[in-house]
């Protein structure tokens, strides 16, 4: 049994819904017996209410942060040796054409991606590099994601693994934008064309989203960017790219074409599973599931093989089909057409999409992976006073017979006459094959409950010694129903009841009550605490 | 089988910090827009003075930019905790450098006396802020991070480098103290 001291430690966790299920159950049981702790909970709740009515101030409108002028480059020092900087600048100034660097050309072949649940992907990028010379070569490997982790890049030449190595690597990310241009022209002369047509010239001292500070004839002027029509820079600055690019200094022994594989980690990729379930009148369920892959990494992956990793522990090894590739409109995918494996991988699940797909930059791709009709579904009715004192919950239960379902959200609809109506969205956990899935669909309209505590004896200082409870269940349906009644009981309570009950765990008992159509059933029980 | 591509949602914090790590000023601006109110509000509650708050908030974001290269992206993401760790350090330094000002014991009396009237929203906010300021720093830190910044107790514990149970009990003591100070506002 939980002590007052222990309860008071956990009250704030209860307020923020952060107590785990056993702690919560023990706390609720304790609060039912201890008015002092119950009163403290109310005090804490009230204090929170006052706090919430007076949130701290927001940052003032003009708040901004001026970053240091020097651009911070990744892996400074090791990668940005002065000679390489010079070589790269020369390279960009000459626009990277074949003249300066021979006919070195990089051609994409394909990608394979392993996407983790949240914001991380491992990319295996296969490309051919043409016309490499023996000796040192500068190679631009463009169209890499903006959120690449440059420290994770691994280069491998299939053509000559031992004779090819990356001497230096630089990740160039300074993409062309208005602010990037301004940054390049700090301390340089620029020309401002104002909205009234006048033109001013001066040296750019600093800028922020609203103003420019210009030095003109020894004076400093602040100009509102609102009044400026356009800015003219005397030349195109070097070092600005239109696409994020890895630039390598490659030392090569075998001349000519190299088949290469480059792997790297990138942020900005994520996936999740979503389901739609339609509850049919004949007590069956129609279930379809979609995998949604989000690509915010800044790169497009054409012809990509996609694997999805779901983090979870202690999973059993199962065979699992994710995607059918040959059916039109995704309809009628049957379990007997499985062709892709789900593998356990350390303590993860690995799901593979069967066919290659293209993931465009900034897009969300949805792929159907399950479609099943006619799944037998039971309607379960459950009364739990900790959920609602006067309503009976409806749950849909079905067996997951042929594939593990990744964690996701189920949007449940029900057939109403000729149409289907949305009922609610429910989260499900990773569900292995042959496990039951239970969806809380809502509350039954035609079932009502009335719970009364008819007697309460207390010990000093206010602990409950005996509690008598009466529960009336009314069934207004045209059919008989069976209702599960769950009742919290303290760990040391003994129960006598008018109907048989079973003890589910230390804190909960269950009655299974049959209520005939259009009738009422009364259930009584007494709990004695030691 | 494949549905049409639709517009992607906003990049996650982890994606943005990865870009900042790679030197992107634009990603930094996005993080700034996303968190400036939270950081400013947090610091204002601790430091009170607007000018000091402004300086400290600048400092937090500059440290974020400079320290981005040390940030390790992990699955699940811990960016928010990391950002608030920086903010907590900056706030502690600022508080340490501030000349010691004895807590005005009259704050409590004033609060208790005048709270029976029905104050307007600004006055209410001021009084709540004053009550918060009168809490011991260790409790104030937890209350502000938990309630106003929406961190979980685990995150609060990580940010402040204290055990989770200590975070919970500091929250409890902080709220109980506030309930005494703000009696007139409680329902």
């Amino acid at each position: 049994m939980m002590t007052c001291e222990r309860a008071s430690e956990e009250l704030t966790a209860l307020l923020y819904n952060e107590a785990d299920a056993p702690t919560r159950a023990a706390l609720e049981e304790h609060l039912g017996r201890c008015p002092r702790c119950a009163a403290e909970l109310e005090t804490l709740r009230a204090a929170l209410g006052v706090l919430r009515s007076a949130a701290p101030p927001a940052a003032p409108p003009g708040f901004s942060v001026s970053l240091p002028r020097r651009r911070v480059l990744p892996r400074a020092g090791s990668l940005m040796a002065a000679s390489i900087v010079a070589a790269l600048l020369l390279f960009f100034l000459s626009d990277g054409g074949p003249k300066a660097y021979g006919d070195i050309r990089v051609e994409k072949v394909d990608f394979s991606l392993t996407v983790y649940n949240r914001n991380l992907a491992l990319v295996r990028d296969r490309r051919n590099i043409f016309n490499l010379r023996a000796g040192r070569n500068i190679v631009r490997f463009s169209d890499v994601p903006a959120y690449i982790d440059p420290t994770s890049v691994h280069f491998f030449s299939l053509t000559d693994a031992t004779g090819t190595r990356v001497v230096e690597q630089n990740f160039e990310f300074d993409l062309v934008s208005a602010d990037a241009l301004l940054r390049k022209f700090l301390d340089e002369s620029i020309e401002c064309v104002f909205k009234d047509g006048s033109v001013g010239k001066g040296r750019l001292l600093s800028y922020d989203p609203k103003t420019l500070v210009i030095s003109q004839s020894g004076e400093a002027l602040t100009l509102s960017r609102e009044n400026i029509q356009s800015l003219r820079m005397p030349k195109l600055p070097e070092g600005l790219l239109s696409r994020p690019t890895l630039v390598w200094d490659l030392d090569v022994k075998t001349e000519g074409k190299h088949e290469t594989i480059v792997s790297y980690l990138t942020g900005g990729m994520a996936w999740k599973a979503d389901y739609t379930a339609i509850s049919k009148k004949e007590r069956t369920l129609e279930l379809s599931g979609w995998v949604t892959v989000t690509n915010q990494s800044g790169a497009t992956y054409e012809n990509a093989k996609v694997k999805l990793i779901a983090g979870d522990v202690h999973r059993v090894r199962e065979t699992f089909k994710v995607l059918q590739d040959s059916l039109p409109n995704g309809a009628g995918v049957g379990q007997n057409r499985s062709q892709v494996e789900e593998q356990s991988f350390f303590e993860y699940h690995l799901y593979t999409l069967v066919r290659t797909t293209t993931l465009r930059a900034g897009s969300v791709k949805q792929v159907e992976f399950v479609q099943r009709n006619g799944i037998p579904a039971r309607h379960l009715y459950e009364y739990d006073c900790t959920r609602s004192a006067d309503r009976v919950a409806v749950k849909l239960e079905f067996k997951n017979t042929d594939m593990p379902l990744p964690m996701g959200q189920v949007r449940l609809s029900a057939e109403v006459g000729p149409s289907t109506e949305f009922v609610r969205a429910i989260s499900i956990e990773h569900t292995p094959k042959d496990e039951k899935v239970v969806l809380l669909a809502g509350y039954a309209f035609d079932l009502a409950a009335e719970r009364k505590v008819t007697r309460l004896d207390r010990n000093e200082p206010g602990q409950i010694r005996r509690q008598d409870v009466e529960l009336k269940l009314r069934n207004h349906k045209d059919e008989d129903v069976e209702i599960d009644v769950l009742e919290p009981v303290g760990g040391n309570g003994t129960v006598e009841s008018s109907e048989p009950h079973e003890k589910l765990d230390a804190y909960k008992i269950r009655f299974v009550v049959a209520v005939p159509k259009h009738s009422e059933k009364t259930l009584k029980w007494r709990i004695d605490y030691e | 089988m494949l549905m049409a591509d639709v517009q992607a949602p906003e990049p996650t914090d982890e994606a943005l910090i990865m870009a900042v790590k790679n030197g992107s000023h634009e990603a930094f601006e996005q993080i700034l827009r996303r968190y400036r109110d939270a950081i400013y509000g947090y610091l204002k509650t601790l430091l009170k003075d607007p000018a000091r708050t402004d300086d400290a908030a600048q400092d937090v974001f500059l440290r974020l930019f400079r320290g981005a290269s040390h940030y390790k992206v992990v699955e699940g993401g811990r960016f928010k905790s990391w950002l608030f760790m920086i903010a907590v350090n900056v706030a502690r330094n600022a508080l340490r450098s501030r000349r010691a000002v004895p807590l005005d014991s009259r704050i409590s009396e004033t609060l208790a006396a005048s709270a029976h009237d029905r104050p307007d929203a600004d006055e209410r906010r001021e009084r709540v802020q004053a009550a918060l300021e009168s809490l011991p720093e260790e409790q104030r830190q937890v209350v502000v991070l938990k309630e106003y910044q929406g961190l979980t107790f685990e995150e609060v514990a990580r940010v402040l480098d204290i055990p989770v149970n200590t975070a919970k009990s500091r929250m409890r003591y902080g709220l109980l103290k506030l309930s005494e100070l703000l009696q007139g506002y409680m329902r």
Side-chain angles (χ1 to χ4, degrees), chain A residues 8 10 16 18 40 48 51-55 59-60 63-64 118-119 147-148 150 173 177 296 324 355, chain B residues 1-2 9-12 14-15 18-19 22 24 26 36-37 58 76 124-125 146-148 153 168 171-172:
Chain A
S8 64
E10 293 296 337
Y16 283 100
E18 286 182 37
E40 184 174 314
L48 267 187
L51 265 184
R52 278 172 194 170
S53 68
F63 179 80
S64 67
R118 291 180 63 179
N119 193 41
Y147 300 136
I148 190 172
F173 186 83
S177 70
Q296 300 169 337
Q324 280 291 343
R355 70 175 183 188
Chain B
M1 182 73 70
L2 296 177
E10 286 279 289
T12 60
E14 304 291 311
M18 188 75 101
N22 291 332
S24 166
E26 286 71 26
R36 58 184 219 159
D37 286 348
Q58 296 264 350
R124 185 187 184 93
R125 176 185 291 178
K146 179 75 199 131
E147 178 51 35
Y148 289 148
F153 279 114
K168 287 180 193 167
M171 184 75 194
R172 172 175 166 253

Side-chain angles (χ1 to χ4, degrees), chain A residues 136-161:
Chain A
R136 303 282 278 269
N137 297 260
I138 296 287
V139 176
R140 297 176 75 187
F141 198 82
S142 60
D143 284 342
V144 293
Y147 300 136
I148 190 172
D149 179 354
T151 60
S152 70
V153 175
H154 180 255
F155 174 91
F156 186 79
S157 169
L158 295 169
T159 309
D160 182 4

Side-chain angles (χ1 to χ4, degrees), chain A residues 6 8-13 15-16 18 40 42-74 116-120 145-151 171 173-175 177 179-180 183 207 209 265-268 290 294-296 309 311 323-331 333 348 355 357-358 360 362-368, chain B residues 1-30 32-33 36-42 44-45 53-59 61-62 65-66 69 71-77 121 124-126 128-129 132 143-144 146-155 164-165 167-176 178-180 182 185-187:
Chain A
R6 175 87 183 98
S8 64
E9 270 179 16
E10 293 296 337
L11 286 178
T12 50
L15 278 178
Y16 283 100
E18 286 182 37
E40 184 174 314
E42 285 318 304
T43 306
L44 295 174
R45 205 190 297 277
L48 267 187
V50 179
L51 265 184
R52 278 172 194 170
S53 68
F63 179 80
S64 67
V65 177
S66 304
L67 292 176
R69 289 178 184 184
R70 189 174 60 82
R71 193 165 69 85
V72 178
L73 287 167
Y116 294 78
N117 271 104
R118 291 180 63 179
N119 193 41
L120 196 67
Y147 300 136
I148 190 172
D149 179 354
T151 60
F171 178 58
F173 186 83
D174 212 0
L175 304 186
S177 70
D179 279 1
R183 198 161 61 246
Y207 66 90
L265 287 170
T266 180
W290 297 81
T294 308
N295 176 13
Q296 300 169 337
I309 288 207
L323 171 69
Q324 280 291 343
D325 59 345
S326 56
L327 293 171
N329 307 321
V333 178
Y348 296 97
R355 70 175 183 188
T357 185
T358 294
R360 300 207 176 280
S363 72
V364 176
K365 174 94 46 189
Q366 291 187 298
V367 179
E368 189 176 56
Chain B
M1 182 73 70
L2 296 177
M3 288 182 72
D5 291 351
V6 291
Q7 199 184 354
E10 286 279 289
T12 60
D13 291 343
E14 304 291 311
L16 288 174
I17 190 65
M18 188 75 101
V20 173
K21 201 170 170 175
N22 291 332
S24 166
H25 286 228
E26 286 71 26
F28 174 79
E29 288 290 334
Q30 254 180 292
L32 180 65
R33 279 197 295 278
R36 58 184 219 159
D37 286 348
I39 293 296
Y40 189 92
Y42 164 73
K44 178 77 167 55
T45 312
T53 304
D54 208 87
D55 288 350
Q58 296 264 350
D59 195 12
F61 285 104
L62 279 174
F65 186 75
R66 292 190 182 119
S69 57
Y71 182 78
K72 293 264 182 265
V73 173
V74 292
E75 203 193 343
R124 185 187 184 93
R125 176 185 291 178
E126 272 176 32
V128 171
Q129 291 295 320
L132 269 173
V143 171
V144 173
K146 179 75 199 131
E147 178 51 35
Y148 289 148
Q149 308 308 335
L151 271 61
T152 62
F153 279 114
E154 264 187 37
E155 286 171 329
V164 176
N165 277 341
K168 287 180 193 167
S169 70
R170 284 183 189 173
M171 184 75 194
R172 172 175 166 253
Y173 286 121
L175 286 178
L176 290 176
L178 286 175
S179 74
E180 283 171 27
L182 297 165
Y185 297 89
M186 311 259 289
R187 273 181 292 172

